[in-house]
Amino acid sequence: MNIGTLLFFGLGTLVAGIALGPRLPRVWLALTIAGTLAMLGAALSMLGGGSAWEWRSGFQLGGETLHLRLDGISAIFLALVAAVGGLGAIYAREYWSDEQHPESAPRSRLWWCAIILSMGFVLLSSNGLHFLIAWELFALSSFFLITLDRSARAGRAAGWLYLAASHAGTLCLFAFFTALAARTGSWELGPMRGHADLGALFWLALAGFGVKAGLFPLHIWLPSAHANAPSHVSAMMSGVTIKMGIYGLIRFSGWLPMPDAAGWTLMGVGSVTAVLGIAFALAQNDLKRLLAYCSVENVGVMAIGIGGALLGAAHGDALWGRLLLAGALLHVWNHGLFKSLLFFSAGSVLHATGTRELSRLGGLWRSMPWTAVMFAVGAAAVCGLPPLNGFVSEWLIYLGLFDTAASRNPSAVMAMPATILLALAGALALASFLKAGAVIFLGAPRTKAAEGAHESGPLMRGSMGALASACVAIGLAPALLWPPIARAVGIWNPAWASGAPPVPLFALGMAHVLLAGLLLAGGALLWRRVHATGMRRALTWDCGYSRPTARMQYTGGSFSAIAAGWFSWILRPERLQHRPRGPFPERASWVERAPETVLERIIEPAGRVVMQLSNAARRLQRGRLQFYIVYLAGGLIALAVLALWTK
Amino acid sequence: MIAILEIVFRLALWLLVAPLLPGIINKVKAWVAGRQGPPVLQLYYDLARLWRKSVVMSTLASPGFVIGPAVAWVALVVAALLVPLGPAGGALSFKGDVLLLVYLLALARFCTSWAALETGSAFEGMGAAREVSYAVLTEAALITAILSLSVQTGSVMLSGMLSLSSGPGALLLAAGLFSVLLAENCRVPFDDPNTHLELTMIHEAMVLDHSGPLLAVVLHGAAVKLLLFAVLLSEAVLPLGRLPPLAAAGALAGSVGLVTVGVGLVESLLARFAFRRVPLLLTIAFLFCLFALVLAWIGGAR
Amino acid sequence: MNPTLNLLIGLAMGLNLLALGSSRLPAIIRTMAVQGVVLGLLPLVIEPAFGWVVALVAFVTVAVKGFVIPTLLRRAMRTANIEREIEPSIGFVPSLLLGALGTIAAVAVARALPLLPQDAGTLVVPGALASIFAGFVLLVGRVKAISQVCGFLILENGIYLFGMLLIRSTPLLVESGILLDLIVAVFVIGIIVDRIQRAFDSLDTRKLTALHE
């Protein structure tokens, strides 16, 4: 089918979804699924080997003709938007249903279609003005989705923080696009390598897109927004909307001439983001905050890949740059899939028990076996364990970094520390997800809420299952994904457009299939042996305590205490303890909270200083006419002096 | 056909030789202490006995308690097949297989820790917490060592990086990789394989509640991991590629034996360090590998 | 000559890191003594001609740095009755990492400097810079006076290494002058340590701030 037809069909159905969604939930589900399928179809046919699709409108929007373009790079992101959008709609049908949330469910449906639509426009826009309009629309849709539950104070605060940070980034993007338009003479976007003076604008783009992507230290809005939003919204945000920032970075680093320091900076910022992001994740005791910080880590990994690609392009189009960009693009996909899976299972847990706190959960494998298995698959994927998809993209990035070092390129001075930091981040991720998975699903339930859990319904389980199967499939057949990724890399840098993969993805796929087969066989054989020799159940050895309780199990905070202690210089946890006193203590408590350090220790105090200065400046407002006349006269005299002086 | 026979032979070599190493270590420790000690083949007898026994599982444990050790064992055996055996290369060799090796070890660690935490006991919680935390530092040291081999030889394949080295970096790499071996295989001074007190366990905590065939699988996997690290250490440090094949095989076997005896001696002569000092030791191991990397980088660029 | 020189200086750089990672004072003193002995032997390795002057300089340096100064320090340690550094202001692992980073940076900086061809291939300049940095980290990061003195002495070793570059033109007098300064300094520090111990019953130099009231 024609790409254009599919896209316009998708547009039509999603607009209909916006119009009809609030009142007709089943119709909305059908419309959304149809719309996202159409978008997915368009993206897949472009990925399967189409040439770039372009369309110009007859009418003008804001003084510019609407110019849409779909090429290999945008198709990758569009496919992700469509997949998560469709599966999220199915999930939300059961998770945020009208019975449980009568006033916010209609709004949820409306804004869900709106966000998919606006992200699609961002990806398709080939005109700076419309890019900004679509960007603003999608930021607003995210705000309304985060604050769906208006009664939750945490959600409202998270929404305001998100809006403020998002607009700070959009301000940089406004400056970027207007400067671009001023220097090239038109709002049209396209390859602009010829204009040498555009290089300095990259830093504006980095700031603007970096806020949206969540690079350290611009990530301050991410944890509270993703943690306090409803889970399907968190999945969309973590899985897809932060990728819009990555899309912007990849797109404009391919089109604009880059300053020399761009590659180094991006790789350095990426490595720091990766390690600090996962260190913060390790210290969290709120499941969704942990997952949000883990997204920060993965954005860092993608930034390492993009930075490496920039370095490779600058050093004679070295092939390792191609590997690094391919790894980053594949990681966009993989992270979108497994992070959405993890957020969906977090939502399932929240739906069943009513809490996100690790210290109140436990033993949920018995009541929620499907969710437990899905979470385990997602956790294994996010730690980059073979044979799942997370390993494939991290493998590509590692290989790119190793090639840089082995070829003794000067960029290796940045690539070698990046490799070590990437390894650190991977090991910390393993610790974090073991903590999360074990404390929530294993052992015994710690509170009544956890005891009363129930498995989620078919729609929620189905959407999680689809994502988990995608993770496994990509892990087992990575070579199938190479052609679209290679095409996208070739669009980014035509010198890398040749088709053969520089690494044996086919051999890796074979190894994974072999491993998966052996794992299944080994598990089955051991299971049979265990049941053949007889199995008895007994209580876990409790060290002879007379009245053990489920609260005596190892807590998440203790699990992560060793490694989190190494990062205490930046984590700065706040502790509130009431120690047990006397021979028969009755009351004792220990509360530990890991604050968002950059926000609470740097930006908020700075904000307070700004407020103090503003309060001091308020004294200028006397309220009497004479003062204002004096101010006006003073201003005019100052202007006259300035004009005479600069003559 | 020949390829299948070769893989079967390789597999047999790894699976059958691995349980010998803990036996040798215990014999060395006994000799230093002036005792007879258990026979060198003790682990074989133990594995056979455990395989016949039945399993006692905690009431809180899920099927993951059984699947975890199985997955870990398969991951370790596949990782072992990737390691080149001197002149004979690895079973499956492609660019980037070294990273598959490192992440298979991570998969094994994930599964043993998950299976340990299944019982909901605080013993395992403590042991697993320590294991995954110290793994952060050993992983950094291991990747740095691999990076230094890669920079030195210009290759990212196991068969291209190993059996080639020598030079001043080899000594530093040997020290670093030996410390990583001791840490990853829970040997003194990082962990005592004979202790069962909760304040002193790391790896032992994770096998505390396993019994019967599950314990056999876990113990055998640990032996395979020890053999894997010993072979990696020997090949990273000795230039086996320069010797004729039979001599290389002999040198590899001799070196693995030497490493095992070395582990036994270290276990007899050193005491386990307090947990708060373990990060310092692991940092020193990391620095050894880091300086090997710096030497490799400077050495080639000159 | 070159490989032996590089080996000895490499050993000295390793001893820097060992001192940074140690928490026991006897170990730090011993490390500093061994480093002094190793560096004292350097003139014998650098000078192609075996002259009596060179041998005398080496002997005196080894004797002072390896035996006299450590003995003075050990006596001060016994007077103060301490054996261990408990809580330094820069922790052991961070100071170790800082020292390693400093060593790598020293190597990198030395390659960028315009050295004479005979000095460019050796580790003299990197070793000197690394020892100065490591000594500085010890001085700033530790709170017990004796560890700080050892840091000062390691810093002196670094400056001495720089002096190796000028060995042909540095007369014997300057070398002995430096050594004499060191002995006097350590002797005085021994007295001060004793006084601090008597005044505060501890060698924690942070307590000296009480004097400003």
Side-chain angles (χ1 to χ4, degrees):
Chain A
M1 274 189 95
N2 198 311
I3 291 183
T5 331
L6 282 171
L7 283 175
F8 283 114
F9 177 70
L11 167 72
T13 41
L14 285 172
V15 169
I18 293 182
L20 301 173
R23 253 157 309 186
L24 304 165
R26 290 214 190 97
V27 173
W28 170 81
L29 186 61
L31 284 174
T32 315
I33 294 181
T36 49
L37 272 176
M39 282 169 74
L40 187 63
L44 287 177
S45 73
M46 166 59 65
L47 289 172
S51 52
W53 170 85
E54 290 199 40
W55 179 79
R56 284 171 203 274
S57 70
F59 57 91
Q60 289 210 331
L61 183 65
E64 296 283 321
T65 355
L66 203 57
H67 180 193
L68 300 178
R69 183 215 310 247
L70 181 67
D71 65 358
I73 299 182
S74 11
I76 294 183
F77 290 86
L78 192 65
L80 185 63
V81 171
V84 177
L87 286 172
I90 299 177
Y91 185 86
R93 176 84 178 89
E94 199 179 296
Y95 176 74
W96 203 261
S97 56
D98 284 282
E99 294 85 42
Q100 290 156 355
H101 303 267
E103 359 93 34
S104 48
R107 273 185 288 124
S108 154
R109 294 193 281 272
L110 191 162
W111 290 112
W112 190 262
C113 287
I115 201 175
I116 299 178
L117 209 55
S118 37
M119 280 200 281
F121 267 119
V122 167
L123 291 171
L124 293 173
S125 290
S126 188
N127 182 303
L129 186 62
H130 302 135
F131 191 101
L132 281 174
I133 294 177
W135 190 267
E136 201 39 45
L137 275 175
F138 119 71
L140 277 176
S141 322
S142 319
F143 168 72
F144 284 114
L145 279 175
I146 293 175
T147 53
L148 267 182
D149 188 2
R150 291 201 184 141
S151 57
R153 206 163 146 258
R156 286 203 312 269
W160 284 123
L161 181 59
Y162 166 77
L163 204 58
S166 181
H167 276 118
T170 312
L171 196 64
C172 300
L173 285 180
F174 260 109
F176 172 67
F177 279 108
T178 43
L180 207 59
R183 289 189 197 189
T184 54
S186 99
W187 284 97
E188 288 295 312
L189 300 173
M192 297 173 206
R193 292 245 172 207
H195 300 251
D197 55 341
L198 295 175
L201 293 178
F202 171 73
W203 305 111
L204 276 174
L206 181 60
F209 290 120
V211 169
K212 182 58 70 182
L215 292 172
F216 191 89
L218 304 168
H219 68 290
I220 51 172
W221 58 274
L222 218 154
S224 52
H226 291 201
N228 294 306
S231 304
H232 60 300
V233 174
S234 307
M236 172 64 92
M237 297 208 62
S238 243
V240 185
T241 70
I242 57 182
K243 307 303 177 0
M244 293 295 116
I246 300 285
Y247 167 73
L249 281 174
I250 293 184
R251 182 57 100 192
F252 290 101
S253 59
W255 277 344
L256 263 50
M258 287 284 111
D260 285 331
W264 297 80
T265 323
L266 209 48
M267 200 182 247
V269 167
S271 326
V272 168
T273 309
V275 173
L276 289 181
I278 197 66
F280 272 96
L282 188 59
Q284 303 302 318
N285 285 315
D286 172 338
L287 174 61
K288 286 171 70 174
R289 243 180 122 87
L290 191 150
L291 293 175
Y293 272 113
C294 178
S295 296
V296 173
E297 181 229 343
N298 283 291
V299 163
V301 172
M302 291 175 228
I304 292 179
I306 303 175
L310 284 173
L311 284 173
H315 284 264
D317 295 320
L319 273 182
W320 41 264
R322 184 175 173 221
L323 268 179
L324 285 165
L325 187 62
L329 281 171
L330 189 58
H331 204 71
V332 164
W333 245 98
N334 290 340
H335 179 246
L337 290 175
F338 57 62
K339 194 41 72 74
S340 310
L341 173 62
L342 284 169
F343 268 109
F344 282 172
S345 18
S348 176
V349 168
L350 182 56
H351 191 73
T353 59
T355 174
R356 309 191 306 245
E357 289 286 320
L358 289 181
S359 53
R360 302 215 191 291
L361 297 167
L364 289 180
W365 70 269
R366 220 180 264 282
S367 39
M368 308 175 72
W370 287 98
T371 310
V373 169
M374 302 294 169
F375 190 89
V377 170
V382 85
C383 300
L385 299 177
L388 296 175
N389 58 353
F391 175 69
V392 180
S393 45
E394 288 208 11
W395 184 74
L396 284 172
I397 295 185
Y398 266 118
L399 272 180
L401 291 171
F402 267 84
D403 266 346
T404 318
S407 62
R408 291 184 182 275
N409 196 289
S411 323
V413 176
M414 187 73 238
M416 290 192 289
T419 319
I420 301 177
L421 290 175
L422 195 58
L424 266 177
L428 285 170
L430 197 146
S432 320
F433 278 92
L434 199 58
K435 160 185 160 170
V439 172
I440 295 179
F441 291 106
L442 302 178
R446 289 183 177 79
T447 55
K448 286 260 179 298
E451 279 171 34
H454 58 275
E455 182 60 270
S456 23
L459 287 180
M460 286 164 76
R461 270 183 285 158
S463 40
M464 285 199 276
L467 286 170
S469 345
C471 290
V472 174
I474 295 183
L476 293 180
L480 286 179
L481 289 169
W482 179 259
I485 302 240
R487 208 167 296 120
V489 171
I491 295 178
W492 191 84
N493 183 352
W496 288 338
S498 74
V503 282
L505 271 173
F506 187 68
L508 183 70
M510 283 285 104
H512 276 187
V513 170
L514 189 68
L515 180 66
L518 287 174
L519 287 175
L520 287 171
L525 277 173
L526 192 61
W527 184 266
R528 280 229 330 246
R529 179 73 197 173
V530 164
H531 284 274
T533 53
M535 184 180 75
R536 260 191 318 126
R537 292 273 185 171
L539 279 179
T540 308
W541 168 243
D542 50 13
C543 221
Y545 283 130
S546 57
R547 293 271 303 274
T549 72
R551 293 298 294 269
M552 286 179 185
Q553 292 173 96
Y554 219 56
T555 64
S558 318
F559 193 90
S560 52
I562 303 176
W566 300 334
F567 289 94
S568 58
W569 50 277
I570 195 167
L571 286 174
R572 301 198 178 273
E574 296 164 358
R575 294 199 181 110
L576 192 63
Q577 32 177 320
H578 293 290
R579 290 178 163 270
R581 287 188 198 294
F584 294 101
E586 273 193 13
R587 210 167 274 287
S589 72
W590 165 282
V591 179
E592 186 171 335
R593 193 182 83 88
E596 171 41 63
T597 310
V598 176
L599 179 64
E600 294 180 30
R601 299 293 160 92
I602 301 180
I603 296 189
E604 280 181 8
R608 276 194 284 274
V609 168
V610 168
M611 292 302 282
Q612 279 166 1
L613 287 174
S614 317
N615 274 330
R618 231 205 270 164
R619 279 189 252 132
L620 285 174
Q621 263 201 324
R622 292 295 188 151
R624 291 189 5 206
L625 192 59
Q626 288 88 329
F627 281 95
Y628 296 141
I629 298 178
V630 168
Y631 293 155
L632 274 173
L636 279 173
I637 295 175
L639 271 175
V641 167
L642 192 67
L644 285 173
W645 187 49
T646 55
K647 195 165 247 189
Chain B
M1 194 68 241
I2 300 202
I4 298 189
L5 269 181
E6 194 209 324
I7 292 192
V8 169
F9 179 65
R10 230 179 243 284
L11 203 59
L13 195 66
W14 280 97
L15 295 181
L16 293 176
V17 171
L20 201 55
L21 265 67
I24 299 180
I25 295 179
N26 285 333
K27 214 43 167 172
V28 168
K29 280 164 73 169
W31 175 75
V32 171
R35 293 184 276 119
Q36 265 285 35
V40 178
L41 301 178
Q42 180 61 41
L43 190 56
Y44 293 98
Y45 305 142
D46 282 339
L47 291 174
R49 175 178 52 92
L50 285 169
W51 190 252
R52 286 195 304 266
K53 291 197 168 230
S54 63
V55 167
V56 178
M57 241 167 86
S58 163
T59 46
L60 297 176
S62 75
F65 193 71
V66 175
I67 299 179
V71 171
W73 187 84
V74 170
L76 285 169
V77 168
V78 173
L81 285 177
L82 283 175
V83 175
L85 279 176
L92 181 64
S93 167
F94 54 92
K95 184 176 176 193
D97 53 5
V98 61
L99 291 158
L100 184 61
L101 176 81
V102 173
Y103 275 86
L104 280 171
L105 292 174
L107 177 63
R109 189 180 320 126
F110 185 82
C111 288
T112 36
S113 309
W114 183 282
L117 291 165
E118 287 269 355
T119 56
S121 156
F123 283 115
E124 275 90 344
M126 271 188 239
R130 291 167 190 154
E131 164 103 359
V132 297
S133 305
Y134 298 147
V136 171
L137 296 169
T138 56
E139 185 104 339
L142 193 58
I143 287 276
T144 313
I146 293 174
L147 198 56
S148 97
L149 282 172
S150 178
V151 167
Q152 204 166 10
T153 55
S155 149
V156 197
M157 269 202 308
L158 272 172
S159 50
M161 289 190 204
L162 297 175
S163 308
L164 280 182
S165 92
S166 65
L171 266 171
L172 288 170
L173 209 56
L177 278 177
F178 189 67
S179 316
V180 170
L181 186 155
L182 291 175
E184 286 266 355
N185 292 288
C186 64
R187 298 276 146 196
V188 175
F190 298 97
D191 180 20
D192 188 353
N194 285 331
T195 178
H196 287 93
L197 307 170
E198 77 264 18
L199 291 178
T200 58
M201 292 192 281
I202 305 182
H203 194 82
E204 284 305 303
M206 306 214 292
V207 305
L208 200 61
D209 278 312
H210 292 270
S211 46
L214 295 178
L215 185 57
V217 162
V218 170
L219 287 178
H220 188 259
V224 169
K225 190 171 174 187
L226 182 57
L227 182 58
L228 192 154
F229 270 95
V231 169
L232 263 180
L233 171 57
S234 315
E235 291 184 339
V237 173
L238 300 174
L240 295 172
R242 304 221 193 106
L243 299 172
L246 266 177
L252 182 62
S255 159
V256 167
L258 199 65
V259 168
T260 318
V261 169
V263 171
L265 286 174
V266 165
E267 286 227 339
S268 318
L269 299 173
L270 282 183
R272 199 183 56 84
F273 278 33
F275 279 133
R276 58 189 168 77
R277 291 179 64 88
V278 167
L280 188 66
L281 278 180
L282 288 174
T283 311
I284 295 179
F286 167 66
L287 287 179
F288 275 128
C289 300
L290 186 65
F291 282 115
L293 175 62
V294 170
L295 273 176
W297 179 254
I298 299 182
R302 195 162 293 170
Chain C
M1 188 256 285
N2 245 340
T4 331
L5 178 66
N6 282 345
L7 188 64
L8 283 177
I9 300 185
L11 194 59
M13 286 158 87
L15 288 169
N16 280 338
L17 295 179
L18 195 60
L20 281 171
S22 298
S23 62
R24 302 188 61 241
L25 293 181
I28 304 183
I29 297 176
R30 207 176 315 133
T31 312
M32 185 263 313
V34 172
Q35 192 184 49
V37 167
V38 163
L39 292 181
L41 294 174
L42 273 185
L44 295 172
V45 176
I46 295 186
E47 271 296 301
F50 187 82
W52 286 110
V53 167
V54 172
L56 189 62
V57 167
F59 177 71
V60 172
T61 312
V62 167
V64 168
K65 289 199 184 182
F67 297 99
V68 175
I69 292 183
T71 316
L72 288 172
L73 282 176
R74 276 194 209 107
R75 197 185 311 160
M77 198 180 77
R78 241 174 292 133
T79 324
N81 209 12
I82 57 167
E83 283 255 329
R84 213 170 252 286
E85 174 96 49
I86 306 292
E87 249 333 300
S89 38
I90 305 181
F92 294 110
V93 173
S95 48
L96 197 58
L97 287 172
L98 262 181
L101 273 174
T103 311
I104 297 177
V107 172
V109 166
R111 302 225 292 183
L113 291 174
L115 298 171
L116 288 178
Q118 79 232 42
D119 296 323
T122 66
L123 278 178
V124 175
V125 176
L129 288 171
S131 299
I132 291 177
F133 186 71
F136 186 70
V137 170
L138 265 181
L139 258 176
V140 170
R142 299 295 165 95
V143 300
K144 293 280 195 265
I146 294 186
S147 318
Q148 291 174 316
V149 171
C150 290
F152 167 72
L153 289 166
I154 293 181
L155 197 147
E156 280 291 323
N157 282 344
I159 300 180
Y160 172 83
L161 257 182
F162 260 129
M164 283 293 110
L165 289 174
L166 302 168
I167 190 167
R168 278 168 206 82
S169 40
T170 311
L172 175 60
L173 209 56
V174 178
E175 285 293 330
S176 346
I178 296 178
L179 283 176
L180 193 62
D181 273 339
L182 279 183
I183 298 181
V184 171
V186 176
F187 200 61
V188 170
I189 286 167
I191 299 176
I192 292 182
V193 160
D194 182 53
R195 291 286 161 222
I196 296 177
Q197 171 69 11
R198 279 185 215 235
F200 299 102
D201 198 22
S202 138
L203 269 191
D204 195 331
T205 48
R206 292 175 294 195
K207 302 221 167 153
L208 287 172
T209 55
L211 291 173
H212 77 71
E213 274 305 306

